[in-house]
Amino acid sequence: MSCEDFYSQNAAGLAARYERLDPERLHRGWREFLPAGGAVVLDVGAGSGRDAAWLAGLGHAVVAVEPCAALRRAAGRRHRQPGIGWVDDRLPELRTVCAGGRKFHLILVNAVWMHVAPDERQTAIETLKGLLAPGAVLVVTLRRGPLEAGRTMHPCAAEGFLGLARRHGLVICKSLATPDRLGRREIGWHLVVLRRPRA
């Protein structure tokens, strides 16, 4: 089963699970890097819309990217507040977002990188860097632990990701192992905060 098929067939249950988590608590590890209100934010792999709604509620203009149509439709119904624009797009190229020509003050890639194939990760990091405004921040969470049967996943060791980020000129602001907030003992995450230099 492809990753997109998995999310389509399990959209309702996955959305309910995602919505149980409080984004303010979930993202407190990088909250200090959040721009002031009025920033333009890209949420890649927006899922149920939980994080997009949180960011919009803080006064940001959010472009929420979600390739799974079932999740995207449900998120649009659940989170109707202004400030969120939903886009059908996907890494590594984010063609629709890139075609819009916007630069973002913050890009969030939460629980997505494990779905990007290793041979596509260089293109993905180039795409994300290209969408960052000078001085802007990229937040990525990397899954640690066993891969899940039934959907496409790839290992994403923090060391490899950090090396990729450095080679593309991104500055590492924070690198931190974190527990799984859904209580899965075998799963953990690694939070990485990167910044595009202003020069």
Side-chain angles (χ1 to χ4, degrees):
M1 181 186 299
S2 74
C3 191
E4 196 164 327
D5 287 342
F6 174 87
Y7 282 98
S8 295
Q9 293 179 20
N10 297 278
L14 290 168
R17 186 168 76 183
Y18 300 155
E19 291 290 327
R20 287 204 306 267
L21 296 176
D22 173 15
E24 185 73 43
R25 222 177 133 210
L26 178 66
H27 298 307
R28 63 187 173 189
W30 60 268
R31 185 71 164 79
E32 66 195 280
F33 298 96
L34 194 60
V40 183
V41 176
L42 180 64
D43 183 8
V44 179
S48 69
R50 177 200 65 210
D51 296 339
W54 171 62
L55 291 162
L58 294 173
H60 303 296
V62 183
V63 175
V65 169
E66 177 49 57
C68 173
L71 274 174
R72 196 171 59 250
R73 286 193 297 267
R77 289 191 298 268
R78 185 188 298 264
H79 300 291
R80 297 178 179 272
Q81 69 262 52
I84 307 173
W86 285 92
V87 178
D88 176 8
D89 210 348
R90 68 208 70 220
L91 285 170
E93 294 176 327
L94 292 173
R95 291 179 182 175
T96 301
V97 175
C98 289
R102 300 177 84 177
K103 298 295 184 183
F104 297 89
H105 304 109
L106 170 74
I107 300 178
L108 176 61
V109 185
N110 184 43
V112 170
W113 196 253
M114 69 276 197
H115 298 312
V116 180
D119 62 353
E120 295 182 329
R121 288 176 177 171
Q122 178 160 309
T123 300
I125 202 76
E126 289 170 356
T127 298
L128 293 166
K129 180 183 176 182
L131 289 167
L132 287 168
V137 170
L138 169 62
V139 178
V140 182
T141 59
L142 308 170
R143 178 181 167 122
R144 297 182 292 115
L147 304 180
E148 191 171 319
R151 54 176 165 163
T152 305
M153 285 188 181
H154 310 277
C156 47
E159 296 79 8
F161 180 80
L162 293 170
L164 184 64
R166 288 191 191 98
R167 289 194 297 276
H168 285 81
L170 296 169
V171 177
I172 299 166
C173 301
K174 192 166 192 175
S175 175
L176 177 69
T178 63
D180 182 66
R181 300 301 179 187
L182 291 169
R184 295 171 294 184
R185 293 183 181 179
E186 74 281 9
I187 302 298
W189 299 89
H190 198 102
L191 166 68
V192 179
V193 181
L194 306 169
R195 190 180 298 277
R196 179 171 185 166
R198 293 187 180 277

